């Protein structure tokens, strides 16, 4: 089964959001970088997705004018098989990613990136609904604490657990970095 890795929204833009913290960044980058390096070593295509939206002004970190829509510092450099820019949560909406995957005979996607419960989860659900097998590497996703409607803080770890719970067996196979690499090699 032909597999590719999708690296979603791993971009400097997030450093300029008020919720950004470095707390979970080192562990995330270790997993993300190991996943990228493992895929490159196995000649598995690695796709890059950037998120751009909002006004095209320098003050908006998700605009091209900001200069922040670029790879997150400390992300291992890699030659992307293709790069896509999205303005929606799913990397499959309006980007041409679905066309690229179909043309290249990809049947399984490995999902990684930022944010766990938003763009990574949404892309996973969308890809599954379109018929792709999806390996979701929770350790190679990153998110931050969020404030719930009642004002209580929902911890990033709890968000990751919730995402894993709703995806497992319905939309994706949950994998460690090594499991995803092993499945891609099989």
């Amino acid at each position: 089964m032909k597999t590719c890795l999708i690296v979603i929204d791993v971009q400097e833009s997030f450093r300029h959001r008020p919720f950004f913290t470095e707390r979970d960044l080192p562990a995330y980058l270790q997993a993300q970088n190991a996943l990228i390096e493992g895929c490159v070593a196995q000649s598995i295509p690695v796709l890059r997705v950037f998120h751009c939206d909002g006004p095209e002004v320098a003050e908006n970190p998700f605009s091209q004018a900001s200069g922040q829509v670029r790879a997150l510092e400390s992300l291992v450099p890699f030659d992307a098989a293709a790069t896509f820019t999205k303005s929606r949560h799913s990397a499959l909406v309006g980007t041409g990613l679905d066309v690229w995957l179909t043309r290249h005979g990809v049947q399984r996607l490995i999902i990684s990136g930022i944010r766990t419960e938003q763009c990574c989860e949404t892309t996973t659900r969308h890809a599954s609904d379109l018929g792709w097998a999806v390996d979701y590497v929770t350790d190679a996703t990153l998110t931050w604490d969020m404030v719930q409607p009642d004002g209580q803080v929902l911890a990033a770890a709890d968000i990751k657990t919730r995402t894993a719970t709703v995806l497992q067996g319905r939309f994706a196979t949950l994998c460690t970095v090594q499991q995803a690499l092993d499945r891609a090699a099989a």
Side-chain angles (χ1 to χ4, degrees), residues 4-65:
C4 79
L5 169 62
I6 303 178
V7 180
I8 300 173
D9 301 350
V10 183
Q11 61 195 71
E12 281 295 316
S13 307
F14 286 104
R15 287 190 194 274
H16 303 278
R17 289 295 195 220
F19 54 76
F20 181 85
T21 174
E22 301 248 349
R23 180 187 67 212
D24 298 327
L25 189 61
Y28 158 71
L29 282 169
Q30 181 178 4
Q32 181 70 80
N33 288 340
L35 186 58
I36 292 168
E37 290 172 335
C39 286
V40 168
Q42 292 184 36
S43 299
I44 296 166
V46 181
L47 306 180
R48 185 187 307 272
V49 177
F50 286 124
H51 188 93
C52 289
D53 72 6
E56 192 57 38
V57 296
E59 298 77 29
N60 171 12
F62 285 89
S63 76
Q64 293 289 350

Side-chain angles (χ1 to χ4, degrees), residues 123-143:
T123 300
T124 297
R125 288 173 179 262
H126 193 172
S128 174
D129 283 350
L130 291 174
W132 279 285
V134 180
D135 289 349
Y136 191 89
V137 185
T138 304
D139 290 345
T141 70
L142 178 67
T143 196

Side-chain angles (χ1 to χ4, degrees), residues 76-99:
V76 66
F78 64 93
D79 291 326
T83 299
F84 302 89
T85 302
K86 65 181 185 59
S87 60
R88 304 283 188 206
H89 292 101
S90 173
L92 292 161
V93 174
T95 61
L97 173 59
D98 55 339
V99 174

Side-chain angles (χ1 to χ4, degrees), residues 69-84:
V69 180
R70 58 186 167 85
L72 191 69
E73 290 178 20
S74 300
L75 183 69
V76 66
F78 64 93
D79 291 326
T83 299
F84 302 89

